[in-house]
Amino acid sequence: MEGPFIRIEDSGEVVPLRPDVTTIGRGRGVDVRLTDPSVSRLHAEFVRRGPYLYVVDLGLSRNGTRVNGRPIARRVLDDGDVVSFGAARARVGGIPREDLAPEVELRRAAAPELTRREVDVLTSLCRPALSDEAFVAPATAREIADDLVVTEAAVKQHLLRLYQKFRIPEGTNRRTRLANEVVALGLVRPTPVVPPQRATGPAEPEPQPQPRTSAGRRAS
């Protein structure tokens, strides 16, 4: 098999990695779907950049990502590395063995300049995915249109411009990749869960003790 791949340890399945970004998780719409309950719906992604491959934990998984047993946020991979997504494990293969050049830059590019409406679209895109502390499918164009009270065609035009600004390549899961990039850059944040507050009405008056009366004698 040419190019990088991963071998899922539980099943032995060999999955070739995409030439750009490969998403991995337990939810629908990911490129590599794992069934272990410790894996988040959208857990991490493999990114190929030139001859290098690295794995990125999206920062939204409950159980984290590890490489050879060590927790990571972002890590360049070597052939034979074992990547753990929660309790699920996969071994990386197909990477040429060579020394990494010191000038390899693994940081994400700075966020592009956005209009106010584009920020609104991105916020609406990620809202369902971030409302439950675990990344689920981002909003559809129809859902964004309903949320912002605009036409679906207008939302699709905004999304096309955003794909270009964030350099999201054509292909499947394009909305998911855009949401990944937006969250990783910190442009949107998980919605904090506000505990319900008890109603604070006027305090009810405490019952007053009734005066004790002695029973009178019956007149004779």
Side-chain angles (χ1 to χ4, degrees), residues 106-185:
L106 297 179
R107 297 179 181 176
R108 292 179 182 267
E113 185 175 347
L114 301 172
T115 67
R116 184 167 185 173
R117 176 54 77 182
E118 287 171 342
V119 173
D120 291 341
V121 170
L122 291 175
T123 301
S124 183
L125 172 74
C126 298
R127 182 174 292 120
L130 295 172
S131 60
D132 194 27
E133 299 181 357
F135 208 108
V136 295
T140 64
R142 177 72 268 167
E143 291 168 339
I144 297 172
D146 292 342
D147 185 29
L148 301 180
V149 195
V150 296
T151 65
E152 186 174 356
V155 171
K156 290 181 178 179
Q157 287 298 318
H158 283 299
L159 288 174
L160 286 175
R161 285 194 292 270
L162 288 167
Y163 294 146
Q164 294 173 353
K165 285 188 174 184
F166 286 90
R167 298 181 180 179
I168 306 298
E170 294 184 3
T172 58
N173 304 321
R174 214 174 182 192
R175 280 184 302 106
T176 300
R177 293 176 191 169
L178 175 60
N180 291 355
E181 191 71 16
V182 169
V183 172
L185 288 169

Side-chain angles (χ1 to χ4, degrees), residues 40-101:
S40 295
R41 291 181 178 89
L42 186 57
H43 198 109
E45 61 186 15
F46 290 100
V47 180
R48 294 176 64 178
R49 182 169 296 172
Y52 307 108
L53 172 70
Y54 62 97
V55 63
V56 180
D57 182 90
L58 295 177
L60 298 167
S61 59
R62 291 188 175 96
N63 297 307
T65 301
R66 296 173 179 266
V67 175
N68 301 326
R70 303 183 66 176
I72 59 94
R74 188 190 312 264
R75 168 78 178 268
V76 178
L77 297 172
D78 289 325
D79 198 70
D81 281 344
V82 175
V83 185
S84 302
F85 310 97
R89 289 157 50 102
R91 186 175 296 273
V92 180
I95 303 176
R97 293 185 178 275
E98 59 183 54
D99 294 332
L100 292 178

